[in-house]
Amino acid sequence: MTVRAARLQVAVSDDRRQATLTLLPESGLEGEIPLTLEQISQLIATLGQARAAMQDKRAVPPMEGASFTPIYKTKWTVQPEALTEGSIIAFQHPAFGPVGFVLPPSDIEKVVRALTVHMGMVHTSERAPGKPS
């Protein structure tokens, strides 16, 4: 197994007003690129578009066994989606900005059932101390 060295590093300034992308020796390039929040957001969006294009002809991987970090504090919305007659669920992701997905009508009932079961499992009030925010 070959382990490759990192090719770049990103550091956030102490005042959190900018980040610096540093090209490391393994990249074969040299330099630093200072980035604002808006520029970081554009870079993330552009990288996401590139990833989507590269993933386009591949099957969507299963969620079983997938690793992810849940978001506990966000703003979200649910709205109708006319093209599929489904529902859009969108939220503010702290790392990626606003993201969303469409649930087709056939999946909406599954989600409602699952959430109803989950509500039946809740043992504390919604504002109980110690719950993540």
Side-chain angles (χ1 to χ4, degrees), residues 4-9 22-31:
R4 297 190 63 170
R7 298 177 66 176
L8 56 89
Q9 173 182 321
T22 304
L23 300 169
L24 299 177
E26 179 68 18
S27 72
L29 302 169
E30 294 182 22

Side-chain angles (χ1 to χ4, degrees), residues 71-86:
I71 304 303
Y72 291 99
K73 186 177 180 182
T74 188
K75 302 284 186 185
W76 60 273
T77 186
V78 177
Q79 52 191 327
E81 198 282 319
L83 184 62
T84 64
E85 296 184 344

Side-chain angles (χ1 to χ4, degrees), residues 2-132:
T2 303
V3 177
R4 297 190 63 170
R7 298 177 66 176
L8 56 89
Q9 173 182 321
V10 179
V12 177
S13 65
D14 290 339
D15 66 4
R16 298 179 183 258
R17 295 179 65 109
Q18 83 172 25
T20 302
L21 188 145
T22 304
L23 300 169
L24 299 177
E26 179 68 18
S27 72
L29 302 169
E30 294 182 22
E32 293 185 351
I33 303 169
L35 299 165
T36 64
L37 175 62
E38 292 77 22
Q39 291 167 325
I40 289 276
S41 296
Q42 175 140 17
L43 178 60
I44 289 169
T46 302
L47 289 171
Q49 290 168 356
R51 184 183 190 285
M54 294 170 77
Q55 179 74 26
D56 186 43
K57 302 294 183 196
R58 299 178 183 192
V60 176
M63 287 299 297
E64 293 75 19
S67 174
F68 59 91
T69 303
I71 304 303
Y72 291 99
K73 186 177 180 182
T74 188
K75 302 284 186 185
W76 60 273
T77 186
V78 177
Q79 52 191 327
E81 198 282 319
L83 184 62
T84 64
E85 296 184 344
S87 295
I88 297 173
I89 298 178
F91 62 97
Q92 283 287 349
H93 192 288
F96 306 117
V99 295
F101 62 95
V102 175
L103 279 175
S106 59
D107 287 343
I108 294 171
E109 187 178 332
K110 292 177 192 174
V111 170
V112 169
R113 269 190 306 225
L115 291 174
T116 301
V117 168
H118 294 171
M119 284 301 297
M121 297 166 52
V122 173
H123 297 287
T124 58
S125 71
E126 186 171 312
R127 295 181 182 244
K131 291 185 98 173

